[in-house]
Amino acid sequence: MDIGQFAFGLIGGLALFLYGMILLSEGMQKAAGEQMKNALEAATRSPLRGLVTGGAITSVIQSSSVTTVTVVGLINAGLLSLEQSAGIILGADIGTTITAQIVAFPIGQYSLLIIGLGFLMMFLGGNNKRVSNYGEAILGLGILFLGMNIMKDGVESLKSAPFIIEIFAKFGRTPILGILIGMVFTGIIQSSSATSGLVIAMGMEGIIDLNTAVALMFGANIGTCVTALI
């Protein structure tokens, strides 16, 4: 196994993935503006409405952490109660799975085209903030896919390392280990979506099986709570 290829591919790809997530999230937040807060405040009439609103908003802005932090701010301001926020948070946990689904689609080969389109929209948008903001989001999506491809190429070298395969096989046999690894890793990088991307990349290369992937994702969903705690 080429350790250099793996390390550079994983670190560089993960960095691009995270940067793409930040641009995508920030672009959609700017485009949504105050509408997001207004929608969250209006979602308190019933838990089901909160669930749907939380899921819809998180699907658009691609960040359950942003939705959660916004809800925490509304609670601190006395605009939401803890009970009212529960449905929104559960909806955010559902909405964030859209990121993993998007990443799983085989459209990474168009990452450079998406980056070019996003940049063009930002460049030509000029004073039209809405066009520029959507361009930023599209640019982030393209960078996200580019990072995903680099991670995928990096982890491909793991297939030739029997001890790595054995480690991940152990995670499958002992799910608590996979949960702990997923939790710690996500707690450090502050993005369950990035963990999802890495898990999908390893799954596509046949490095991990479904049992291991499920354990890692359970851990990722626990680790992403660190953002809200902070």
Side-chain angles (χ1 to χ4, degrees):
M1 180 181 68
D2 187 341
I3 298 296
Q5 179 186 351
F6 166 66
F8 293 147
L10 179 61
I11 295 171
L14 186 59
L16 283 173
F17 190 100
L18 286 169
Y19 182 59
M21 280 295 303
I22 291 170
L23 285 180
L24 175 59
S25 179
E26 288 183 349
M28 293 308 298
Q29 285 178 67
K30 291 174 185 175
E34 287 297 313
Q35 294 174 0
M36 184 175 77
K37 285 188 177 180
N38 294 336
L40 288 175
E41 291 176 21
T44 61
R45 297 176 186 174
S46 71
L48 180 59
R49 186 167 180 169
L51 180 76
V52 173
T53 304
I57 289 176
T58 305
S59 298
V60 171
I61 66 174
Q62 292 292 296
S63 175
S64 59
S65 295
V66 170
T67 304
T68 303
V69 169
T70 302
V71 168
V72 169
L74 292 173
I75 292 173
N76 288 338
L79 299 175
L80 287 181
S81 68
L82 182 61
E83 291 77 12
Q84 289 173 324
S85 69
I88 299 173
I89 298 300
L90 288 174
D93 290 335
I94 296 171
T96 194
T97 61
I98 299 297
T99 308
Q101 185 56 65
I102 292 173
V103 169
F105 288 136
I107 59 176
Q109 57 185 320
Y110 303 112
S111 60
L112 296 179
L113 177 62
I114 297 171
I115 289 172
L117 175 62
F119 175 78
L120 194 62
M121 289 177 66
M122 289 180 65
F123 184 73
L124 297 179
N127 294 327
N128 191 327
K129 291 295 184 183
R130 183 171 291 273
V131 173
S132 295
N133 291 335
Y134 281 121
E136 182 179 348
I138 293 173
L139 175 64
L141 185 63
I143 293 175
L144 183 152
F145 279 118
L146 179 61
M148 182 70 190
N149 281 347
I150 293 174
M151 278 198 296
K152 183 173 174 291
D153 291 340
V155 300
E156 184 178 7
S157 61
L158 290 178
K159 291 192 293 187
S160 60
F163 73 95
I164 295 292
I165 301 299
E166 178 57 32
I167 288 174
F168 284 117
K170 188 175 292 186
F171 289 166
R173 292 192 297 268
T174 314
I176 190 64
L177 292 177
I179 292 174
L180 288 173
I181 291 295
M183 182 176 67
V184 172
F185 184 73
T186 305
I188 292 172
I189 65 174
Q190 294 288 292
S191 175
S192 59
S193 295
T195 304
S196 301
L198 183 57
V199 169
I200 290 171
M202 290 190 292
M204 291 173 71
E205 292 300 323
I207 296 170
I208 60 174
D209 59 15
L210 182 60
N211 289 338
T212 304
V214 169
L216 289 169
M217 288 313 306
F218 271 125
N221 281 287
I222 297 172
T224 195
C225 297
V226 172
T227 309
L229 289 173
I230 292 173

